[in-house]
Amino acid sequence: MAKHGTTRLVDLLSDRFAGVWKLLSDTGAYLEHTALADQYEEQLRQWRHEISGGGIHPDKVRAELVELRRHLRRAGYDLRLGGQKLLFDGFRNDTSLAEGFKRVVLFTGKDQIFFLTGEENHILLADFLERTIERWSARERIRITGKHYLWYLRQRDGLILSGSDTETPDEYRRIRALGEADPLLFLSKVRLLR
């Protein structure tokens, strides 16, 4: 918990001391990878105009950008992942281990993603994850809306996800649609997938 709080403090301090043009550029790049891009396009354009035209003091624009970034973090976005790419790449089998891929089971719930990696087969991993979620949710029932059996490869600039032999084409289409609808939010929810 303290580490998470420290990370937030570092993020906020970085935002406050970054140059306003860099902050605006970074924020625009992050938003391009979200479902919110269209919503903020006009605001970003307005900020660019006001900074370049000298119509508003840059400190006011910086304060508004810092507040927007704070809002995005509260909504679940990890802005440090803005340069990351999310790629869904068909189906793979056990031979993908030789390419560096690893097994992951990923369960979706309302605004949540749970996952577990390991060397066991996908079915055993899913059973273990399901039992773990049941223990976590003893008081508050967590409703799982999708179960996915995937292969993943973490690269320096992104994450590749492929369906396994256990994943159905329909389920794969669903997880792909979820990820592609808001790649940065999806990547933020699976950022600990190493």
Side-chain angles (χ1 to χ4, degrees):
M1 186 69 154
K3 184 177 182 186
H4 192 258
T6 303
T7 301
R8 281 193 175 155
L9 178 61
V10 168
D11 290 340
L12 290 173
L13 288 173
S14 295
D15 287 355
R16 292 220 185 264
F17 293 106
V20 69
W21 275 110
K22 179 171 180 6
L23 203 56
L24 181 58
S25 175
D26 289 351
T27 304
Y30 300 145
L31 285 169
E32 286 176 13
H33 298 284
T34 73
L36 307 172
D38 292 340
Q39 179 182 337
Y40 287 100
E41 183 178 350
E42 182 58 34
Q43 180 64 62
L44 292 168
R45 188 175 302 130
Q46 181 65 31
W47 282 329
R48 282 186 199 97
H49 173 73
E50 293 190 13
I51 294 170
S52 64
I56 195 170
H57 198 277
D59 288 342
K60 185 172 189 295
V61 173
R62 178 184 290 116
E64 291 171 357
L65 282 164
V66 168
E67 184 55 37
L68 170 58
R69 292 164 66 91
R70 185 179 293 132
H71 168 73
L72 291 170
R73 287 186 185 102
R74 281 191 301 255
Y77 291 94
D78 185 337
L79 301 182
R80 295 169 294 178
L81 302 175
Q84 296 284 297
K85 293 180 183 78
L86 176 62
L87 176 65
F88 287 88
D89 188 29
F91 284 80
R92 298 182 186 282
N93 57 32
D94 288 355
T95 61
S96 64
L97 287 166
E99 300 171 46
F101 280 84
K102 299 175 186 175
R103 289 181 182 88
V104 60
V105 292
L106 191 142
F107 291 2
T108 57
K110 185 180 184 310
D111 299 323
Q112 297 173 303
I113 296 178
F114 305 94
F115 62 87
L116 180 66
T117 64
E119 295 182 13
E120 294 82 8
N121 69 49
H122 285 96
I123 301 297
L124 289 174
L125 289 171
D127 288 343
F128 185 78
L129 181 57
E130 191 162 12
R131 286 193 310 272
T132 302
I133 291 171
E134 286 172 4
R135 282 194 303 270
W136 285 342
S137 65
R139 288 185 217 144
E140 175 187 337
R141 190 76 185 140
I142 296 174
R143 185 171 167 266
I144 300 302
T145 57
K147 296 180 181 180
H148 303 279
Y149 309 89
L150 306 169
W151 291 97
Y152 79 97
L153 179 62
R154 177 63 78 178
Q155 296 179 319
R156 196 178 104 265
D157 64 344
L159 176 66
I160 300 172
L161 291 172
S162 298
S164 73
D165 292 336
T166 310
E167 180 82 351
T168 69
D170 283 343
E171 287 297 318
Y172 185 70
R173 277 191 288 279
R174 283 189 197 102
I175 194 65
R176 183 176 183 160
L178 177 67
E180 290 177 348
D182 200 333
L184 182 56
L185 186 58
F186 187 93
L187 285 167
S188 296
K189 290 181 179 185
V190 297
R191 70 183 168 274
L192 298 178
L193 186 59
R194 300 276 179 234

